[in-house]
Amino acid sequence: MPPHPPPRWSALPVGHWRWWYAVVGVAAVVGLLFALVLLGWVGVWGQVAQFLLFMLVALAVPWAISRRATAVDWGWVPARPWRTAVVVAVLTVATFVVVEAIERLDPAAAQAAATVMRGFGLGHDATFDAVLVLCIVVLAPLGEELLFRGLIHRSLRDGLARHLPPGWGVAVGAAVGAVVSAGLFAYAHGGEGQAQQLWQLVGIGLVLVLAFELTGSISAPVLLHSLNNTLALAVGLARYPDVRLARPWIEHLAWGGPLLVLLLLGLLSVLFRSGAHRAG
């Protein structure tokens, strides 16, 4: 059954996923992360494994349950790429300005941001720094957006809409999906310094949902997330003299993160399309 047309206020169609896909996804992620801890996969390589697991769960759950999870369901390739580019650009600038204003006006927020930057442990080893930077600007945006926006928000939004009147069911489902996905997104960032940024992270999660809804494409929140992390990393390196990368070229790697994200989104789109063609 093809997706229903999107409501007037959103570019995201109403798909066929059920609300409990989100429950299955969260349970799978919690179980797999617990297994990583038991196996001793911690540190930077544990972060790599975590974000790869996020992607795996987000992509596998809809396919395993319904045997249908195509590029249309995810919106890999935006139907209106210029609209997506404008939405991502505007929300990136707005998010950066608001976060900067908060950190300038609130000493506690500024201290939390400094704690996060220093908590990364950058500057001791080039391999560590390169892998961590790629996690921040590439793997985290892909893994977290596929899980929190692509699976959790989308499943709750469309699944709950089926149990509510057509006139406002999608809006209520979207609101629930936005709150739950943004809350889980903030809770997942429980590292040093990030616990003090809880409401700031919830706000960023809601902005990422807005990007998804306005464009109808998972590519928008992924790119927005990558750009936001890249800017935050660049500002942190410039603001805190005691935080340094082991090699200067690693900062160039950070700035290339959003471009690498674009390439990976294109690759995933091709894989989805080829899989759908073989299934057909």
Side-chain angles (χ1 to χ4, degrees):
M1 182 177 64
H4 299 291
R8 290 183 179 181
W9 47 268
S10 173
L12 187 64
V14 180
H16 67 283
W17 293 356
R18 309 299 181 186
W19 64 268
W20 47 271
Y21 286 22
V23 178
V24 174
V26 170
V29 164
V30 171
L32 289 170
L33 290 180
F34 183 67
L36 286 181
V37 173
L38 290 179
L39 292 172
W41 282 36
V42 295
V44 67
W45 295 111
Q47 290 289 307
V48 172
Q50 173 183 317
F51 295 130
L52 291 177
L53 285 176
F54 281 6
M55 284 187 268
L56 176 64
V57 169
L59 295 172
V61 166
W63 181 85
I65 294 174
S66 66
R67 293 296 192 272
R68 184 183 185 278
T70 66
V72 174
D73 297 311
W74 290 95
W76 292 115
V77 180
R80 299 174 181 174
W82 284 110
R83 175 177 180 171
T84 299
V86 170
V87 168
V88 169
V90 170
L91 291 181
T92 297
V93 172
T95 302
F96 179 77
V97 169
V98 170
V99 170
E100 281 293 296
I102 291 173
E103 292 180 0
R104 289 181 183 276
L105 295 173
D106 184 358
Q111 181 59 46
T115 301
V116 171
M117 279 298 301
R118 295 187 177 106
F120 287 143
L122 296 167
H124 300 293
D125 179 79
T127 301
F128 174 92
D129 284 7
V131 173
L132 182 60
V133 165
L134 286 176
C135 272
I136 293 171
V137 301
V138 178
L139 290 182
L142 279 167
E144 291 177 351
E145 294 314 305
L146 287 174
L147 178 67
F148 294 114
R149 257 59 66 180
L151 179 64
I152 295 174
H153 171 71
R154 184 70 189 268
S155 298
L156 292 173
R157 171 192 190 268
D158 297 352
L160 293 176
R162 290 188 176 82
H163 302 283
L164 298 169
W168 47 273
V170 180
V172 173
V176 173
V179 171
V180 172
S181 64
L184 290 173
F185 171 74
Y187 181 75
H189 293 75
E192 188 177 6
Q194 292 178 319
Q196 288 72 42
Q197 298 176 316
L198 177 65
W199 293 111
Q200 187 173 311
L201 288 164
V202 169
I204 292 173
L206 294 174
V207 171
L208 291 164
V209 169
L210 180 63
F212 194 19
E213 290 285 349
L214 290 177
T215 63
S217 172
I218 193 64
S219 302
V222 172
L223 284 171
L224 173 57
H225 195 155
S226 178
L227 287 167
N228 179 71
N229 285 6
T230 298
L231 289 172
L233 183 61
V235 169
L237 290 171
R239 183 171 291 167
Y240 309 114
D242 57 321
V243 180
R244 284 287 179 268
L245 294 169
R247 297 288 185 275
W249 59 265
I250 300 175
E251 187 168 356
H252 299 297
L253 186 66
W255 284 107
L259 294 177
L260 183 55
V261 165
L262 273 175
L263 291 175
L264 291 174
L265 287 171
L267 176 61
L268 286 170
S269 173
V270 170
L271 291 175
F272 262 87
R273 289 177 183 274
S274 63
H277 178 74
R278 287 195 299 270

